[in-house]
Amino acid sequence: VAGQLIGAAMERQRGEEVLREVDEALRESEEKYRDLVENSNEIIYTLDASGTITYISPAIRQLGGYEPEEVIGKTSLSFVHP
């Protein structure tokens, strides 16, 4: 019984270590992606299912003349000439 408890405790500890490693890798990946997107010379954006802009990179300032806050929440069609 004692051996099973020790084994279970060691397994739990290893599982917690793996979770910490995965969390750290995810945090580093998110940070790299954020740096890439925030410092890109290209306009990068995301849309929801209805075509509403949910994110747009700061490059919109220089390339489009808009502040990101002016664009987020509008549909992508708002910026297409009829």
Side-chain angles (χ1 to χ4, degrees):
V1 175
Q4 290 175 336
L5 290 175
I6 291 171
M10 290 175 64
E11 190 173 314
R12 180 178 177 184
Q13 182 179 5
R14 178 63 186 139
E16 290 172 357
E17 288 173 13
V18 169
L19 284 176
R20 280 192 294 275
E21 291 170 5
V22 168
D23 284 344
E24 178 64 18
L26 177 60
R27 188 193 61 73
E28 288 175 5
S29 176
E30 288 173 342
E31 186 175 309
K32 287 178 186 176
Y33 176 76
R34 187 177 304 107
D35 287 344
L36 174 67
V37 169
E38 294 291 322
N39 295 302
S40 175
N41 292 327
E42 300 291 329
I43 297 172
I44 300 171
Y45 61 94
T46 58
L47 305 173
D48 66 13
S50 67
T52 301
I53 299 168
T54 57
Y55 171 83
I56 194 152
S57 62
I60 191 67
R61 290 182 184 112
Q62 184 177 0
L63 299 175
Y66 297 98
E67 287 297 316
E69 298 78 23
E70 294 176 81
V71 176
I72 294 171
K74 295 187 178 180
T75 65
S76 55
L77 293 177
S78 301
F79 300 94
V80 176
H81 190 327

Coordinates of all heavy atoms in Angstrom, one line a residue:
V1 N 0.8 -1.2 0.0 CA 0.0 0.0 0.0 C 0.9 1.3 0.0 O 0.6 2.2 -0.7 CB -1.0 0.0 1.2 CG1 -1.7 1.3 1.3 CG2 -1.9 -1.2 1.1
A2 N 1.9 1.3 0.8 CA 2.8 2.4 0.9 C 3.5 2.7 -0.4 O 3.6 3.8 -0.9 CB 3.8 2.2 2.0
G3 N 3.9 1.6 -1.1 CA 4.5 1.7 -2.4 C 3.5 2.3 -3.4 O 3.9 3.1 -4.3
Q4 N 2.3 2.0 -3.4 CA 1.3 2.5 -4.3 C 1.0 4.0 -4.0 O 0.9 4.8 -4.9 CB 0.0 1.8 -4.2 CG 0.0 0.3 -4.7 CD -1.3 -0.4 -4.4 OE1 -2.0 -0.1 -3.5 NE2 -1.5 -1.4 -5.2
L5 N 1.0 4.4 -2.7 CA 0.8 5.8 -2.4 C 2.0 6.6 -2.9 O 1.9 7.7 -3.4 CB 0.7 5.9 -0.9 CG -0.7 5.4 -0.3 CD1 -0.7 5.5 1.2 CD2 -1.8 6.2 -0.9
I6 N 3.2 6.1 -2.7 CA 4.4 6.8 -3.1 C 4.4 6.9 -4.7 O 4.7 8.0 -5.2 CB 5.7 6.1 -2.6 CG1 5.8 6.2 -1.1 CG2 6.9 6.7 -3.3 CD1 6.9 5.4 -0.5
G7 N 4.1 5.9 -5.3 CA 4.0 5.9 -6.8 C 3.0 6.9 -7.3 O 3.2 7.7 -8.2
A8 N 1.8 6.9 -6.6 CA 0.8 7.9 -7.0 C 1.2 9.3 -6.8 O 0.9 10.2 -7.6 CB -0.5 7.6 -6.2
A9 N 1.9 9.5 -5.6 CA 2.4 10.9 -5.3 C 3.4 11.3 -6.4 O 3.4 12.5 -6.8 CB 3.0 10.9 -3.9
M10 N 4.3 10.4 -6.8 CA 5.3 10.7 -7.7 C 4.7 11.0 -9.1 O 5.1 11.9 -9.8 CB 6.4 9.6 -7.8 CG 7.2 9.5 -6.6 SD 8.4 8.1 -6.6 CE 9.4 8.5 -8.0
E11 N 3.7 10.2 -9.4 CA 3.0 10.4 -10.7 C 2.3 11.8 -10.7 O 2.3 12.5 -11.7 CB 2.0 9.3 -10.9 CG 1.4 9.3 -12.3 CD 0.5 8.0 -12.5 OE1 1.0 6.9 -12.2 OE2 -0.6 8.2 -13.1
R12 N 1.7 12.1 -9.6 CA 1.0 13.4 -9.5 C 2.0 14.6 -9.6 O 1.7 15.5 -10.3 CB 0.2 13.5 -8.2 CG -0.5 14.8 -8.0 CD -1.3 14.9 -6.8 NE -1.9 16.2 -6.7 CZ -2.5 16.6 -5.6 NH1 -2.7 15.8 -4.6 NH2 -3.0 17.8 -5.6
Q13 N 3.1 14.4 -9.0 CA 4.2 15.5 -9.0 C 4.6 15.6 -10.4 O 4.8 16.8 -10.9 CB 5.3 15.1 -8.1 CG 6.4 16.2 -8.1 CD 7.5 15.8 -7.1 OE1 7.6 14.8 -6.5 NE2 8.5 16.7 -7.0
R14 N 4.9 14.5 -11.1 CA 5.3 14.6 -12.5 C 4.3 15.3 -13.4 O 4.6 16.1 -14.3 CB 5.7 13.2 -13.1 CG 6.1 13.2 -14.5 CD 7.4 14.0 -14.7 NE 7.7 14.1 -16.1 CZ 8.2 15.1 -16.7 NH1 8.4 16.2 -16.1 NH2 8.4 15.1 -18.0
G15 N 3.0 14.9 -13.2 CA 1.9 15.6 -13.9 C 1.9 17.1 -13.7 O 1.7 17.8 -14.7
E16 N 2.1 17.5 -12.5 CA 2.1 18.9 -12.2 C 3.3 19.6 -12.9 O 3.2 20.7 -13.4 CB 2.2 19.2 -10.7 CG 0.9 18.8 -10.0 CD 1.0 18.8 -8.5 OE1 2.1 19.1 -7.9 OE2 -0.1 18.6 -7.8
E17 N 4.5 18.9 -12.9 CA 5.7 19.5 -13.6 C 5.4 19.6 -15.1 O 5.7 20.6 -15.7 CB 6.9 18.6 -13.4 CG 7.4 18.6 -12.0 CD 8.5 17.5 -11.8 OE1 9.0 17.0 -12.8 OE2 8.9 17.3 -10.6
V18 N 4.7 18.6 -15.7 CA 4.4 18.7 -17.1 C 3.5 19.9 -17.4 O 3.6 20.6 -18.4 CB 3.8 17.4 -17.6 CG1 3.2 17.5 -19.0 CG2 4.9 16.3 -17.6
L19 N 2.5 20.0 -16.5 CA 1.5 21.2 -16.7 C 2.3 22.5 -16.6 O 2.0 23.4 -17.4 CB 0.4 21.1 -15.7 CG -0.7 20.1 -15.9 CD1 -1.6 20.0 -14.7 CD2 -1.4 20.3 -17.2
R20 N 3.2 22.6 -15.7 CA 4.0 23.9 -15.6 C 4.8 24.1 -16.8 O 4.8 25.2 -17.4 CB 4.9 23.8 -14.4 CG 4.2 24.2 -13.1 CD 5.2 24.4 -11.9 NE 5.9 23.2 -11.6 CZ 5.5 22.3 -10.7 NH1 4.3 22.4 -10.1 NH2 6.3 21.2 -10.4
E21 N 5.4 23.1 -17.4 CA 6.2 23.2 -18.6 C 5.3 23.6 -19.8 O 5.7 24.4 -20.6 CB 6.9 21.9 -18.9 CG 8.0 21.6 -17.9 CD 8.6 20.2 -18.1 OE1 8.2 19.4 -19.0 OE2 9.4 19.8 -17.2
V22 N 4.1 23.0 -19.9 CA 3.2 23.3 -21.0 C 2.7 24.7 -20.8 O 2.6 25.5 -21.8 CB 2.0 22.3 -21.0 CG1 0.9 22.8 -21.9 CG2 2.5 20.9 -21.4
D23 N 2.4 25.2 -19.6 CA 1.9 26.5 -19.4 C 3.0 27.5 -19.8 O 2.7 28.5 -20.4 CB 1.5 26.7 -17.9 CG 0.2 26.2 -17.6 OD1 -0.6 25.9 -18.5 OD2 -0.1 26.0 -16.4
E24 N 4.3 27.2 -19.4 CA 5.4 28.1 -19.8 C 5.6 28.2 -21.3 O 5.8 29.2 -21.9 CB 6.7 27.7 -19.1 CG 7.9 28.5 -19.4 CD 7.8 29.9 -18.9 OE1 7.0 30.3 -18.1 OE2 8.6 30.7 -19.5
A25 N 5.5 27.0 -21.9 CA 5.7 27.0 -23.4 C 4.5 27.8 -24.1 O 4.8 28.5 -25.0 CB 5.7 25.6 -23.9
L26 N 3.3 27.7 -23.6 CA 2.2 28.4 -24.1 C 2.4 29.9 -23.9 O 2.2 30.7 -24.8 CB 0.9 27.9 -23.5 CG -0.4 28.7 -23.9 CD1 -0.6 28.5 -25.4 CD2 -1.6 28.2 -23.1
R27 N 2.8 30.3 -22.7 CA 3.1 31.7 -22.5 C 4.1 32.3 -23.4 O 4.0 33.4 -24.0 CB 3.5 31.9 -21.0 CG 3.6 33.4 -20.6 CD 4.3 33.6 -19.3 NE 5.7 33.1 -19.3 CZ 6.7 33.8 -19.9 NH1 6.4 34.8 -20.6 NH2 7.9 33.3 -19.9
E28 N 5.2 31.5 -23.6 CA 6.3 32.0 -24.5 C 5.8 32.1 -25.9 O 6.1 33.0 -26.7 CB 7.5 31.1 -24.4 CG 8.2 31.2 -23.1 CD 9.4 30.1 -23.0 OE1 9.6 29.4 -24.0 OE2 10.0 30.1 -21.9
S29 N 5.0 31.1 -26.4 CA 4.4 31.1 -27.7 C 3.5 32.3 -27.9 O 3.6 33.0 -28.9 CB 3.7 29.8 -28.0 OG 3.1 29.8 -29.2
E30 N 2.6 32.6 -27.0 CA 1.7 33.7 -27.0 C 2.5 35.0 -27.1 O 2.2 35.9 -27.8 CB 0.8 33.7 -25.9 CG -0.3 32.6 -25.9 CD -1.1 32.6 -24.6 OE1 -0.7 33.1 -23.6 OE2 -2.2 31.9 -24.7
E31 N 3.6 35.1 -26.3 CA 4.4 36.3 -26.3 C 5.1 36.6 -27.6 O 5.1 37.7 -28.2 CB 5.4 36.2 -25.2 CG 6.2 37.5 -25.0 CD 7.2 37.3 -23.8 OE1 6.7 36.9 -22.7 OE2 8.4 37.6 -24.0
K32 N 5.6 35.5 -28.2 CA 6.2 35.6 -29.6 C 5.2 36.1 -30.6 O 5.5 36.9 -31.4 CB 6.9 34.3 -29.9 CG 8.1 34.0 -29.2 CD 8.7 32.7 -29.6 CE 9.9 32.3 -28.7 NZ 10.4 30.9 -29.1
Y33 N 4.0 35.4 -30.6 CA 3.0 35.8 -31.5 C 2.6 37.2 -31.4 O 2.4 38.0 -32.3 CB 1.8 34.8 -31.4 CG 0.6 35.2 -32.3 CD1 0.7 34.8 -33.6 CD2 -0.5 35.8 -31.8 CE1 -0.4 35.2 -34.4 CE2 -1.5 36.1 -32.6 CZ -1.5 35.8 -33.9 OH -2.6 36.1 -34.7
R34 N 2.4 37.6 -30.1 CA 1.9 39.0 -29.9 C 3.0 40.0 -30.4 O 2.7 41.0 -31.0 CB 1.7 39.2 -28.4 CG 1.1 40.5 -28.0 CD 0.8 40.7 -26.5 NE -0.1 39.6 -26.0 CZ 0.4 38.6 -25.2 NH1 1.6 38.5 -24.8 NH2 -0.5 37.7 -24.8
D35 N 4.3 39.7 -30.1 CA 5.3 40.6 -30.6 C 5.3 40.7 -32.1 O 5.5 41.7 -32.7 CB 6.7 40.1 -30.0 CG 6.9 40.4 -28.6 OD1 6.1 41.2 -28.0 OD2 7.8 39.8 -28.0
L36 N 5.2 39.5 -32.7 CA 5.2 39.5 -34.2 C 4.0 40.3 -34.8 O 4.2 41.2 -35.6 CB 5.1 38.0 -34.6 CG 4.9 37.8 -36.1 CD1 6.2 38.2 -36.9 CD2 4.6 36.4 -36.4
V37 N 2.9 40.1 -34.2 CA 1.7 40.8 -34.8 C 1.7 42.3 -34.4 O 1.5 43.1 -35.3 CB 0.4 40.2 -34.2 CG1 -0.8 41.0 -34.5 CG2 0.2 38.8 -34.8
E38 N 2.1 42.6 -33.2 CA 2.1 44.0 -32.8 C 3.2 44.9 -33.5 O 3.0 46.1 -33.6 CB 2.3 44.1 -31.3 CG 1.1 43.6 -30.5 CD -0.2 44.4 -30.6 OE1 -0.1 45.6 -30.6 OE2 -1.2 43.8 -30.6
N39 N 4.2 44.2 -34.0 CA 5.3 44.9 -34.6 C 5.4 44.7 -36.1 O 6.4 45.2 -36.7 CB 6.6 44.6 -33.9 CG 6.7 45.0 -32.5 OD1 6.5 46.2 -32.2 ND2 6.8 44.1 -31.6
S40 N 4.5 44.1 -36.7 CA 4.5 43.8 -38.1 C 4.2 45.1 -38.9 O 3.4 46.0 -38.5 CB 3.4 42.8 -38.5 OG 3.3 42.6 -39.9
N41 N 4.7 45.1 -40.1 CA 4.4 46.3 -41.0 C 3.2 46.0 -41.9 O 2.8 46.8 -42.7 CB 5.6 46.5 -41.9 CG 6.8 47.1 -41.2 OD1 6.6 47.8 -40.2 ND2 8.0 46.7 -41.6
E42 N 2.6 44.8 -41.6 CA 1.4 44.4 -42.4 C 0.2 44.6 -41.4 O 0.3 44.4 -40.2 CB 1.5 43.0 -42.8 CG 2.7 42.7 -43.7 CD 2.5 43.4 -45.1 OE1 1.4 43.5 -45.6 OE2 3.5 43.7 -45.7
I43 N -1.0 44.8 -42.0 CA -2.2 44.8 -41.2 C -2.7 43.4 -41.0 O -2.9 42.7 -42.0 CB -3.3 45.6 -41.9 CG1 -2.9 47.1 -42.1 CG2 -4.6 45.5 -41.2 CD1 -3.8 47.9 -42.9
I44 N -2.8 43.0 -39.8 CA -3.2 41.7 -39.4 C -4.5 41.9 -38.6 O -4.6 42.7 -37.7 CB -2.2 41.0 -38.5 CG1 -0.9 40.8 -39.4 CG2 -2.7 39.6 -38.1 CD1 0.3 40.4 -38.6
Y45 N -5.5 41.1 -38.9 CA -6.8 41.3 -38.3 C -7.5 39.9 -38.1 O -7.2 38.9 -38.7 CB -7.7 42.2 -39.0 CG -8.1 41.8 -40.4 CD1 -9.2 41.0 -40.7 CD2 -7.2 42.0 -41.5 CE1 -9.5 40.6 -42.0 CE2 -7.5 41.6 -42.8 CZ -8.7 40.9 -43.0 OH -9.0 40.5 -44.3
T46 N -8.5 39.9 -37.2 CA -9.3 38.7 -37.0 C -10.8 39.2 -37.1 O -11.1 40.3 -36.8 CB -9.1 38.0 -35.7 OG1 -9.3 38.9 -34.6 CG2 -7.7 37.5 -35.6
L47 N -11.6 38.3 -37.6 CA -13.0 38.6 -37.8 C -13.8 37.5 -37.0 O -13.3 36.4 -36.9 CB -13.4 38.5 -39.3 CG -12.7 39.4 -40.3 CD1 -13.1 39.0 -41.7 CD2 -12.9 40.8 -40.0
D48 N -15.0 37.8 -36.6 CA -15.9 36.8 -36.0 C -16.7 36.2 -37.2 O -16.5 36.6 -38.3 CB -16.7 37.3 -34.9 CG -17.7 38.4 -35.3 OD1 -18.0 38.6 -36.5 OD2 -18.3 39.0 -34.4
A49 N -17.6 35.3 -36.9 CA -18.4 34.6 -37.9 C -19.2 35.6 -38.7 O -19.6 35.3 -39.9 CB -19.2 33.6 -37.2
S50 N -19.6 36.7 -38.2 CA -20.4 37.7 -38.9 C -19.6 38.7 -39.7 O -20.2 39.6 -40.3 CB -21.4 38.4 -37.9 OG -20.7 39.2 -37.1
G51 N -18.3 38.6 -39.7 CA -17.5 39.5 -40.4 C -17.1 40.7 -39.7 O -16.5 41.7 -40.2
T52 N -17.4 40.8 -38.4 CA -17.0 41.9 -37.5 C -15.5 41.8 -37.1 O -15.1 40.7 -36.7 CB -17.9 42.0 -36.3 OG1 -19.3 42.1 -36.7 CG2 -17.6 43.1 -35.4
I53 N -14.8 42.9 -37.2 CA -13.4 42.9 -36.9 C -13.3 42.8 -35.3 O -13.8 43.7 -34.6 CB -12.7 44.2 -37.4 CG1 -12.8 44.2 -38.9 CG2 -11.3 44.3 -36.9 CD1 -12.5 45.5 -39.6
T54 N -12.6 41.8 -34.9 CA -12.4 41.6 -33.4 C -11.0 42.0 -33.0 O -10.8 42.2 -31.8 CB -12.7 40.2 -33.1 OG1 -11.8 39.3 -33.8 CG2 -14.1 39.8 -33.3
Y55 N -10.1 42.1 -33.9 CA -8.7 42.6 -33.6 C -8.1 43.1 -34.9 O -8.4 42.6 -36.0 CB -7.8 41.4 -33.2 CG -6.4 41.8 -33.1 CD1 -5.9 42.5 -31.9 CD2 -5.5 41.7 -34.1 CE1 -4.6 43.0 -31.9 CE2 -4.2 42.1 -34.0 CZ -3.8 42.8 -32.9 OH -2.5 43.3 -32.9
I56 N -7.3 44.2 -34.8 CA -6.6 44.7 -35.9 C -5.3 45.2 -35.4 O -5.2 45.9 -34.3 CB -7.4 45.7 -36.7 CG1 -6.7 46.0 -38.1 CG2 -7.6 47.0 -35.9 CD1 -7.6 46.4 -39.1
S57 N -4.2 45.0 -36.1 CA -2.9 45.3 -35.6 C -2.6 46.8 -35.7 O -3.3 47.5 -36.4 CB -1.8 44.6 -36.4 OG -1.8 44.9 -37.7
P58 N -1.7 47.3 -34.9 CA -1.3 48.7 -34.9 C -0.9 49.3 -36.3 O -0.9 50.5 -36.5 CB -0.2 48.9 -33.9 CG -0.4 47.7 -33.0 CD -0.9 46.6 -33.9
A59 N -0.5 48.4 -37.2 CA -0.1 48.9 -38.5 C -1.2 49.6 -39.2 O -1.0 50.4 -40.2 CB 0.4 47.7 -39.4
I60 N -2.5 49.4 -38.8 CA -3.6 50.2 -39.4 C -3.4 51.7 -39.3 O -3.9 52.4 -40.1 CB -4.9 49.7 -38.8 CG1 -6.1 50.2 -39.6 CG2 -5.1 50.1 -37.3 CD1 -6.3 49.6 -40.9
R61 N -2.7 52.1 -38.3 CA -2.4 53.6 -38.1 C -1.7 54.1 -39.3 O -2.1 55.1 -39.9 CB -1.6 53.8 -36.8 CG -2.4 53.6 -35.5 CD -1.5 53.9 -34.3 NE -2.2 53.6 -33.1 CZ -1.8 52.6 -32.3 NH1 -0.7 51.9 -32.5 NH2 -2.5 52.4 -31.2
Q62 N -0.6 53.5 -39.6 CA 0.3 54.0 -40.7 C -0.3 53.7 -42.0 O -0.2 54.5 -42.9 CB 1.7 53.4 -40.5 CG 2.7 54.0 -41.6 CD 4.1 53.5 -41.3 OE1 4.3 52.7 -40.4 NE2 5.0 53.9 -42.2
L63 N -0.8 52.5 -42.2 CA -1.2 52.1 -43.5 C -2.6 52.5 -43.9 O -3.0 52.6 -45.1 CB -1.1 50.5 -43.7 CG 0.4 50.0 -43.5 CD1 0.4 48.5 -43.6 CD2 1.3 50.6 -44.6
G64 N -3.5 52.6 -42.9 CA -4.9 53.0 -43.2 C -5.4 54.3 -42.6 O -6.4 54.8 -42.9
G65 N -4.6 54.9 -41.7 CA -4.9 56.1 -41.1 C -6.0 56.0 -40.0 O -6.6 57.0 -39.7
Y66 N -6.2 54.9 -39.5 CA -7.2 54.6 -38.5 C -6.5 54.2 -37.2 O -5.5 53.6 -37.2 CB -8.2 53.5 -38.8 CG -9.0 53.8 -40.0 CD1 -8.7 53.3 -41.3 CD2 -10.2 54.5 -39.9 CE1 -9.5 53.5 -42.4 CE2 -11.0 54.8 -41.0 CZ -10.6 54.3 -42.2 OH -11.4 54.5 -43.3
E67 N -7.1 54.5 -36.1 CA -6.7 53.9 -34.8 C -7.4 52.6 -34.7 O -8.5 52.4 -35.2 CB -7.1 54.8 -33.6 CG -6.4 56.1 -33.5 CD -4.9 55.8 -33.2 OE1 -4.6 55.0 -32.3 OE2 -4.0 56.5 -33.8
P68 N -6.7 51.6 -34.1 CA -7.3 50.3 -34.0 C -8.7 50.3 -33.4 O -9.7 49.6 -33.8 CB -6.4 49.5 -33.1 CG -5.0 50.1 -33.4 CD -5.3 51.6 -33.6
E69 N -8.9 51.2 -32.4 CA -10.2 51.3 -31.7 C -11.3 51.8 -32.6 O -12.5 51.5 -32.3 CB -10.1 52.3 -30.5 CG -9.1 51.8 -29.4 CD -7.6 52.1 -29.8 OE1 -7.3 52.9 -30.6 OE2 -6.8 51.3 -29.2
E70 N -10.9 52.5 -33.7 CA -11.9 53.0 -34.6 C -12.5 51.9 -35.5 O -13.6 52.0 -36.0 CB -11.4 54.1 -35.5 CG -11.0 55.4 -34.8 CD -10.3 56.3 -35.8 OE1 -11.1 57.0 -36.6 OE2 -9.1 56.3 -35.9
V71 N -11.7 50.8 -35.7 CA -12.0 49.8 -36.6 C -12.6 48.6 -35.9 O -13.5 48.0 -36.5 CB -10.7 49.4 -37.3 CG1 -10.9 48.2 -38.3 CG2 -10.1 50.6 -38.1
I72 N -12.1 48.3 -34.7 CA -12.7 47.1 -34.0 C -14.2 47.3 -33.8 O -14.6 48.3 -33.3 CB -11.9 46.9 -32.7 CG1 -10.4 46.5 -33.1 CG2 -12.6 45.8 -31.8 CD1 -9.5 46.4 -31.9
G73 N -14.9 46.3 -34.1 CA -16.4 46.3 -33.9 C -17.1 46.6 -35.2 O -18.3 46.5 -35.2
K74 N -16.4 47.1 -36.2 CA -17.1 47.3 -37.5 C -16.9 46.1 -38.4 O -16.1 45.3 -38.1 CB -16.4 48.5 -38.2 CG -16.6 49.8 -37.4 CD -16.1 51.0 -38.1 CE -16.4 52.3 -37.3 NZ -16.0 53.5 -38.0
T75 N -17.8 46.0 -39.4 CA -17.7 44.9 -40.3 C -16.6 45.2 -41.3 O -16.3 46.4 -41.6 CB -19.0 44.6 -41.0 OG1 -19.3 45.7 -41.8 CG2 -20.1 44.3 -40.0
S76 N -16.0 44.2 -41.9 CA -15.0 44.4 -42.9 C -15.5 45.1 -44.1 O -14.8 45.8 -44.8 CB -14.3 43.0 -43.2 OG -15.3 42.1 -43.6
L77 N -16.8 44.9 -44.4 CA -17.4 45.5 -45.5 C -17.5 47.0 -45.4 O -17.6 47.8 -46.4 CB -18.8 44.9 -45.8 CG -18.8 43.5 -46.2 CD1 -20.2 43.0 -46.4 CD2 -18.0 43.3 -47.5
S78 N -17.4 47.6 -44.2 CA -17.4 49.0 -43.9 C -16.2 49.7 -44.6 O -16.3 50.9 -44.8 CB -17.3 49.3 -42.4 OG -18.4 48.7 -41.7
F79 N -15.2 48.9 -44.9 CA -14.0 49.5 -45.5 C -13.8 49.2 -47.0 O -12.7 49.5 -47.5 CB -12.8 49.1 -44.7 CG -12.9 49.5 -43.2 CD1 -13.4 48.6 -42.3 CD2 -12.5 50.8 -42.8 CE1 -13.6 49.0 -41.0 CE2 -12.7 51.1 -41.5 CZ -13.2 50.3 -40.6
V80 N -14.8 48.7 -47.6 CA -14.8 48.3 -49.0 C -15.6 49.4 -49.8 O -16.7 49.7 -49.5 CB -15.4 46.9 -49.3 CG1 -15.4 46.6 -50.8 CG2 -14.6 45.9 -48.5
H81 N -14.9 50.0 -50.8 CA -15.6 51.0 -51.6 C -16.7 50.3 -52.4 O -16.5 49.3 -53.1 CB -14.6 51.7 -52.5 CG -15.1 52.9 -53.2 ND1 -16.4 53.0 -53.6 CD2 -14.5 54.0 -53.6 CE1 -16.6 54.2 -54.2 NE2 -15.4 54.8 -54.2
P82 N -17.9 50.9 -52.4 CA -19.1 50.3 -53.2 C -18.8 50.3 -54.7 O -18.2 50.9 -55.3 CB -20.3 51.1 -52.8 CG -19.8 52.3 -52.1 CD -18.3 52.1 -51.7

